[in-house]
Amino acid sequence: MSGKSKYEEVTIATEPVFQGKIISLQVDRVLLPNGETATREIVKHPGAVAVLAIHEDRMIVVEQYRKPLGRSQVEIPAGKLEPGEDTASAAMRELEEETGFTCSEVRLLSSFYTSPGFADEILHLYVADKLTPGTAKPDEDEFIDCEAITLDTAKRYIEEGRISDAKTIAAVYAWQLHRLTGSYSL
Amino acid sequence: MSGKSKYEEVTIATEPVFQGKIISLQVDRVLLPNGETATREIVKHPGAVAVLAIHEDRMIVVEQYRKPLGRSQVEIPAGKLEPGEDTASAAMRELEEETGFTCSEVRLLSSFYTSPGFADEILHLYVADKLTPGTAKPDEDEFIDCEAITLDTAKRYIEEGRISDAKTIAAVYAWQLHRLTGSYSL
């Protein structure tokens, strides 16, 4: 047996635990391949987009406070998907809201699950490198600073822990790869 | 003002919502920089380790069912930190349990937050490239297959969506970079 349902865990029961503004949480009881049962704690998330935005050989990043970490972080522009929203449009919307930069096209680099052990969040990572500067329009309760950094600065921020999230590190790898090969893709 | 507490969100109240076997969930009410209040939904996680393990120019991966995604995925070996466990030891332990491969040293590539918007999970990504094959010892309720794949196969799995998680994609970028520069680091 192979393929996407290999070792499938069949749901016996689902207990809804929490329904929040952004995430929800449920606990599933599942039947394992050996006939035993187990529980799975599952966070549901609407999905997100992020943009590796390059302007004049610098990466556009935003600094914001991340309450789960108890400190601020430097990350590429990103945000949740709105219901029914196209992912490329969402990427362009978040880029403009958070940084003011606009672009006529974004290209998908990869889509990945951030924490497949306990969450269904998928993040669509785009690249945009023909940008027009403009004025940021953050949401009312969004407090962010925008910066354009060189690859060396990005590496230093990673060393210092100011950049330390999966999407931004993946984006810096893609940027480094583009420097070496001319392509952002693996 | 700058630094790690820029735009700090001060906790006014914390409501514990759920305490599970792996994650817990709380809702914090916070004071924003503009004097308004907001809520933050926060998942707490013990942290995790993962290993980019290279043997004879192939990457060691495991396939397992991921209940939050409703399908199986091919990922690098990984697992949760046990309480008080050293992260390098945890990486070597997970590698051996899931794949049978042992090694005398692992090197830290990077540590990153998987979903800083709603979770405090940090993942420590190691590389190991001097491996000794052995017999896997998965936990009783772990159903996994181990495979050693080439870089071309890894790229194909990414295209097909069989590999689609943040840590494995970061690892494949690091591996590709090592092919080009001789170093896994950015």
Side-chain angles (χ1 to χ4, degrees):
Chain A
M1 182 172 168
S2 72
K4 68 179 190 167
S5 57
K6 189 167 191 180
Y7 299 138
E8 183 172 0
E9 299 178 348
V10 179
T11 308
I12 299 167
T14 294
E15 180 199 351
V17 172
F18 173 77
Q19 176 69 55
K21 288 185 306 177
I22 296 170
I23 59 173
S24 65
L25 173 68
Q26 66 188 52
V27 178
D28 284 6
R29 178 154 284 278
V30 299
L31 183 64
L32 301 177
N34 65 356
E36 303 282 316
T37 63
T39 57
R40 298 288 180 246
E41 299 158 9
I42 300 172
V43 172
K44 300 275 192 176
H45 184 281
V49 292
V51 190
L52 167 58
I54 303 292
H55 185 63
E56 296 174 352
D57 211 27
R58 288 168 182 254
M59 178 171 76
I60 312 302
V61 291
V62 293
E63 180 162 15
Q64 65 190 304
Y65 194 77
R66 289 303 202 176
K67 183 63 186 162
L69 316 185
R71 59 194 175 93
S72 71
Q73 284 279 286
V74 174
E75 302 174 20
I76 56 173
K80 286 183 309 293
L81 281 169
E82 304 293 342
E85 190 179 27
D86 168 73
T87 56
S89 307
M92 292 162 79
R93 173 182 57 72
E94 287 289 350
L95 177 66
E96 183 174 8
E97 283 176 9
E98 294 192 347
T99 74
F101 281 95
T102 54
C103 56
S104 57
E105 62 155 20
V106 291
R107 300 189 305 285
L108 185 65
L109 271 184
S110 74
S111 297
F112 49 79
Y113 294 99
T114 54
S115 292
F118 70 87
D120 73 347
E121 183 191 29
I122 188 164
L123 187 136
H124 307 280
L125 174 59
Y126 284 89
V127 61
D129 54 10
K130 289 172 194 142
L131 303 177
T132 305
T135 306
K137 313 174 223 173
D139 290 340
E140 260 184 32
D141 62 348
E142 250 183 337
F143 299 89
I144 57 180
D145 288 339
C146 178
E147 194 181 353
I149 63 175
T150 64
L151 182 56
D152 280 347
T153 300
K155 291 179 188 180
R156 178 165 57 81
Y157 281 9
I158 291 172
E159 275 179 27
E160 294 170 353
R162 292 185 66 189
I163 288 177
S164 63
D165 71 293
K167 66 182 174 303
T168 306
I169 286 179
V172 175
Y173 270 119
W175 187 21
Q176 172 79 298
L177 200 62
H178 180 262
R179 292 286 199 92
L180 294 166
T181 67
S183 166
Y184 292 102
S185 302
L186 279 167
Chain B
M1 181 173 168
S2 72
K4 67 180 191 169
S5 58
K6 189 167 190 178
Y7 299 137
E8 183 171 1
E9 299 177 349
V10 179
T11 307
I12 299 167
T14 294
E15 179 199 351
V17 172
F18 174 76
Q19 176 68 56
K21 288 186 308 178
I22 296 170
I23 58 172
S24 65
L25 173 67
Q26 67 189 50
V27 178
D28 283 7
R29 177 154 286 278
V30 299
L31 183 65
L32 300 177
N34 64 355
E36 303 282 316
T37 62
T39 57
R40 297 289 179 246
E41 299 157 8
I42 299 172
V43 172
K44 300 274 192 177
H45 184 281
V49 292
V51 190
L52 167 58
I54 302 292
H55 185 64
E56 295 174 352
D57 212 27
R58 287 166 182 255
M59 178 171 76
I60 312 301
V61 291
V62 292
E63 180 162 14
Q64 65 190 305
Y65 194 78
R66 289 303 202 176
K67 183 62 186 165
L69 316 185
R71 61 194 173 93
S72 71
Q73 283 279 286
V74 174
E75 301 175 21
I76 57 173
K80 288 184 307 294
L81 281 168
E82 304 293 342
E85 191 179 27
D86 168 73
T87 56
S89 307
M92 291 161 79
R93 172 182 57 71
E94 287 289 350
L95 178 65
E96 183 174 7
E97 283 175 9
E98 294 192 348
T99 74
F101 282 95
T102 55
C103 56
S104 56
E105 63 155 20
V106 290
R107 301 189 304 285
L108 186 65
L109 271 184
S110 74
S111 297
F112 50 79
Y113 295 99
T114 53
S115 292
F118 70 88
D120 73 348
E121 184 192 29
I122 188 164
L123 188 136
H124 307 281
L125 174 59
Y126 285 89
V127 61
D129 53 11
K130 289 171 194 143
L131 303 177
T132 306
T135 306
K137 312 173 223 175
D139 290 340
E140 259 183 32
D141 62 347
E142 249 183 338
F143 300 89
I144 56 180
D145 289 339
C146 178
E147 195 181 354
I149 63 175
T150 64
L151 182 56
D152 280 347
T153 300
K155 291 179 188 180
R156 179 165 57 82
Y157 281 8
I158 290 171
E159 276 179 26
E160 294 171 353
R162 292 185 65 189
I163 288 177
S164 63
D165 70 294
K167 67 183 172 303
T168 306
I169 285 178
V172 175
Y173 270 118
W175 187 21
Q176 172 79 298
L177 201 61
H178 180 261
R179 292 286 199 91
L180 293 166
T181 67
S183 166
Y184 292 103
S185 302
L186 279 166

